[in-house]
Amino acid sequence: MTDIRQKISHQDWLSINKPARYMGGEVNQVPSKDNPKVRICIVFPDVYELGMSNLAVKIFYEILNKRPEIYAERAFAPFPDFSELLQRKDLPLFSLETGTPLKDFDALFITLPYEMTFTNILHILDVSKIPLQWKERQTGPLIISGGPSSSNPLPLSLFMDAVFIGEGEEAVIEMADLIAEMKEQNIQGSERRQALTKIEGLWVPEFPAPVKHRIYKGFVDSVPPLNPVLPNIQAVHDRATIEIFRGCTAGCRFCNAGFYYRPKRERKVEDVLAYSKALLENTGEDTLGLLSLSTSDYRHLEKLIKGLDDLKLYPEQSISIPSLRMSDNTVTLLNASKNIRKGGLTFAPEAGTQRLRDIINKNVTEEDIIQVITSASTSTYKKIKLYFMMGLPFETEEDLEGLVDLVNRLEETVRAMKPRKTISISLSGFVPKAFTPFQWARQATTEELIEKRKLVCDGLKRFNTPISWRDEITCLIEALFARGDEKISELLLVAYKNGCFMDGWYEFFSADNWLKSIEEMNINLNDYLGEKSINAPLPWDFVDYGTPKSFFLSEYQKAAKIAGVELQ
């Protein structure tokens, strides 16, 4: 077994930023296994600090390694300085556990958390000395991706041997077993890819066929990762995390995740408490993150918070709740425990007027918003962050002015609180996603989004409210991937060859390279960003998402009716 790390000198390690990203050896890392039947590398297409916070990586790492005949290792996207080092020394990218080149594994399982990592996937394959396109690969590891960002798999169709659509807890074992079987029988090339079509949820570009989104029905009784690998350096989300429920019933018309993770399934309070205790003991973390799409929708939230208060293991133990709905449950949460230290509060009103919130089916009123913010006055939370979108379907200038008015009134409210709270705002352009009611909707142009952002920023100067926003061109690229077809897969290849890489990082993202690539490909942006006819087929119609297309259409029509618009 080749350990590539042995070929990198001490001086080389010192020449790069954060060498611990690539060295492995962390607490709770699974030790090497003797002669496993199959070797899988779980790949996260961004840097170590982000990937080590990713729940999917933790889940699949524990599930696969519980099987003695399977050895699962990890790899992350190399930062540009390390990529240059590997290329200069003519070395391939390797795993953290054993330093094995990725090209020597039986399969790479790539989790896709967001679209702006797609060029990173190509770079990982490139620096690993693995051919980028599946047509060029007859041997070597199978390249299989999955995650919410691959709901529409067409933009990855040139590169993936297979794309998994749905929840993968059961499928990763089925895939590993099948890969081990094919390895033993020395099955290669097209025959190997064809065999993958037998697994429910896998779409194979070489053998395209209708595919059904897969649901993990055993979630409620499943055991979450209780022995996660502890990062060598501080992760972005530096805490122990437990998923208290999966799915969402809110039905926000813009949200792909809400439909991707349906139906809603809750873990029992007693189980969550037991798992939380074990997780905190096994990691030594003093912050516990309660994960879900909207934690305040957990039916027994007050009982859970009080239970966590009772089992408090550390004096400074805190609870992190990253996703809250502005509802009565949240008010209950704010008053549930004063003994557990809390960080900031995060809410997503998304729109500034009741009209637009009704259009997007964000079931929250202005009274709800003000009540929740007011209730925070007696809590130990100090910071409140609010997320809003611009360019939503049927949005008007009055809606943006309503956003400004709402935030200014909330500023007046929190400034009167003692102790005083602070509000910050995050703005993002709306991106229409496949498998949502707004999959037919037009995306605002970058010029329009810039004008909308300026209007909001100018209106919030009164209180100097801190504002952050996503670059408008990033929203454009994300939309191309979200609603793209096979031609966008070709664009991805051209963009990578033109130097696009680490697109989720503002210091590396190159709008010029992307626009150059779009021009080279002679892509008409309106074909992908414009309003789509509700009567025309959609490129991703071959995916059975579990939610009928007719439901998405009826929801879009409801939104249009509120706006007084007739759809074509």
Side-chain angles (χ1 to χ4, degrees):
M1 186 183 296
T2 302
D3 186 344
I4 297 298
R5 292 170 296 193
Q6 302 303 316
K7 299 183 179 182
I8 300 175
S9 70
H10 182 69
Q11 195 62 37
D12 286 331
W13 286 119
L14 292 177
S15 71
I16 63 170
N17 185 36
K18 299 182 181 179
R21 287 169 166 160
Y22 316 103
M23 302 186 78
E26 306 103 320
V27 173
N28 291 339
Q29 175 181 294
V30 175
S32 179
K33 298 181 181 180
D34 293 330
N35 301 314
K37 288 185 178 179
V38 63
R39 297 184 67 196
I40 307 292
C41 192
I42 300 168
V43 179
F44 185 84
D46 213 321
V47 295
Y48 177 88
E49 301 95 300
L50 287 168
M52 288 299 288
S53 299
N54 182 264
L55 185 60
V57 171
K58 298 175 185 180
I59 290 173
F60 298 141
Y61 189 75
E62 283 204 15
I63 286 176
L64 290 166
N65 279 313
K66 282 179 181 176
R67 295 275 295 269
E69 72 275 18
I70 302 171
Y71 189 26
E73 305 184 41
R74 296 161 297 137
F76 304 88
F79 212 61
D81 60 347
F82 191 57
S83 291
E84 292 169 8
L85 174 64
L86 291 174
Q87 290 166 339
R88 186 171 70 249
K89 297 181 75 70
D90 195 28
L91 295 173
L93 186 62
F94 50 84
S95 67
L96 270 65
E97 277 70 11
T98 62
T100 300
L102 267 58
K103 62 185 178 67
D104 292 342
F105 280 85
D106 298 309
L108 307 185
F109 288 176
I110 305 175
T111 182
L112 300 175
Y114 36 86
E115 289 88 349
M116 299 311 290
T117 60
F118 284 7
T119 52
N120 295 3
I121 297 170
L122 302 195
H123 185 71
I124 288 168
L125 296 179
D126 202 3
V127 79
S128 299
K129 302 181 184 295
I130 297 171
L132 300 184
Q133 300 187 51
W134 61 260
K135 292 178 180 179
E136 302 167 346
R137 299 191 297 263
Q138 297 305 311
T139 59
L142 283 164
I143 313 300
I144 302 173
S145 65
S149 294
S150 58
S151 299
N152 168 22
L154 294 175
L156 295 170
S157 58
L158 284 179
F159 316 106
M160 297 297 118
D161 291 302
V163 179
F164 182 77
I165 299 172
E167 299 169 342
E169 281 92 339
E170 296 163 325
V172 289
I173 294 295
E174 295 171 15
M175 288 187 279
D177 286 344
L178 177 59
I179 292 165
E181 181 183 327
M182 292 191 291
K183 178 182 178 181
E184 187 176 355
Q185 298 175 14
N186 196 31
I187 296 174
Q188 300 291 345
S190 291
E191 187 179 355
R192 189 168 57 156
R193 287 187 283 269
Q194 188 168 33
L196 292 174
T197 63
K198 302 173 186 175
I199 295 177
E200 182 185 352
L202 271 184
W203 181 74
V204 180
E206 187 175 2
F207 303 98
V211 62
K212 185 177 177 63
H213 172 276
R214 188 159 171 177
I215 298 168
Y216 179 39
K217 297 178 181 178
F219 172 80
V220 171
D221 297 317
S222 66
V223 179
L226 299 180
N227 290 283
V229 180
L230 303 184
N232 279 334
I233 56 178
Q234 185 171 352
V236 172
H237 300 300
D238 190 16
R239 61 182 73 109
T241 55
I242 182 165
E243 189 178 14
I244 63 173
F245 75 85
R246 187 174 293 181
C248 182
T249 57
C252 298
R253 295 184 175 116
F254 57 84
C255 182
N256 173 271
F259 294 99
Y260 184 88
Y261 289 111
R262 283 191 175 190
K264 183 183 177 187
R265 293 144 287 167
E266 292 190 357
R267 284 191 165 117
K268 302 179 186 70
V269 172
E270 296 74 17
D271 290 343
V272 174
L273 291 173
Y275 296 147
S276 298
K277 184 174 185 294
L279 190 58
L280 291 169
E281 289 175 340
N282 293 342
T283 62
E285 296 282 6
D286 61 4
T287 301
L288 179 70
L290 304 180
L291 294 189
S292 70
L293 289 177
S294 178
T295 299
S296 50
D297 287 343
Y298 187 67
R299 287 179 297 172
H300 307 292
L301 185 62
E302 185 175 9
K303 182 179 178 182
L304 175 60
I305 297 297
K306 289 181 177 178
L308 291 171
D309 196 0
D310 292 339
L311 65 77
K312 188 172 180 180
L313 300 181
Y314 310 111
E316 293 301 310
Q317 182 174 312
S318 65
I319 296 175
S320 170
I321 304 176
S323 180
L324 290 170
R325 196 180 306 285
M326 292 179 138
S327 64
D328 291 341
N329 247 10
T330 298
V331 175
T332 300
L333 166 67
L334 294 175
N335 300 312
S337 171
K338 296 182 180 179
N339 296 322
I340 296 180
R341 180 173 56 87
K342 307 176 183 76
L345 286 168
T346 301
F347 299 106
E350 306 294 6
T353 64
Q354 193 59 51
R355 169 191 171 275
L356 193 52
R357 287 192 294 273
D358 289 343
I359 284 172
I360 66 177
N361 204 34
K362 189 76 178 180
N363 296 308
V364 57
T365 66
E366 188 165 306
E367 291 73 22
D368 294 331
I369 297 170
I370 293 172
Q371 181 186 10
V372 168
I373 298 300
T374 303
S375 298
S377 63
T378 58
S379 75
T380 56
Y381 291 100
K382 297 178 181 178
K383 298 179 180 179
I384 301 171
K385 188 168 188 176
L386 303 175
Y387 285 87
F388 291 94
M389 282 192 284
M390 307 171 296
L392 285 160
F394 315 117
E395 178 186 85
T396 66
E397 188 171 315
E398 287 73 23
D399 293 311
L400 295 174
E401 292 169 349
L403 189 164
V404 170
D405 179 65
L406 175 62
V407 173
N408 282 334
R409 282 187 288 123
L410 293 177
E411 279 279 15
E412 291 175 346
T413 300
V414 300
R415 284 168 182 262
M417 292 179 180
K418 294 183 180 180
R420 182 175 161 182
K421 316 293 182 182
T422 60
I423 285 182
S424 62
I425 305 299
S426 178
L427 299 174
S428 179
F430 162 73
V431 176
K433 297 289 181 88
F435 305 108
T436 69
F438 286 162
Q439 63 184 346
W440 292 275
R442 169 184 179 271
Q443 182 178 26
T445 66
T446 54
E447 294 78 12
E448 289 170 336
L449 288 176
I450 290 170
E451 287 302 311
K452 293 172 185 291
R453 187 236 307 162
K454 286 180 178 178
L455 187 155
V456 173
C457 290
D458 288 344
L460 295 179
K461 287 180 179 178
R462 176 183 169 193
F463 292 109
N464 290 320
T465 305
I467 306 171
S468 61
W469 59 82
R470 289 189 73 203
D471 188 277
E472 289 78 14
I473 191 71
T474 302
C475 298
L476 182 152
I477 303 303
E478 183 180 324
L480 290 177
F481 288 137
R483 297 204 301 186
D485 53 17
E486 293 89 344
K487 191 170 184 179
I488 299 302
S489 193
E490 297 176 38
L491 170 66
L492 177 57
L493 181 60
V494 170
Y496 175 67
K497 290 181 177 179
N498 281 336
C500 295
F501 168 51
M502 285 287 178
D503 294 313
W505 294 69
Y506 72 90
E507 60 263 54
F508 300 119
F509 177 74
S510 172
D512 289 342
N513 284 345
W514 271 107
L515 294 174
K516 173 186 174 183
S517 303
I518 290 169
E519 185 176 353
E520 286 181 17
M521 285 288 299
N522 195 29
I523 286 176
N524 180 355
L525 290 177
N526 192 59
D527 290 344
Y528 298 95
L529 309 182
E531 180 86 14
K532 292 186 177 295
S533 169
I534 59 175
N535 300 310
L538 297 169
W540 49 88
D541 279 344
F542 63 91
V543 178
D544 178 356
Y545 218 59
T547 301
K549 186 178 180 181
S550 58
F551 173 82
F552 291 137
L553 179 56
S554 67
E555 286 294 299
Y556 190 31
Q557 289 170 330
K558 288 177 185 177
K561 185 176 181 180
I562 295 170
V565 174
E566 186 173 344
L567 298 175
Q568 301 297 319

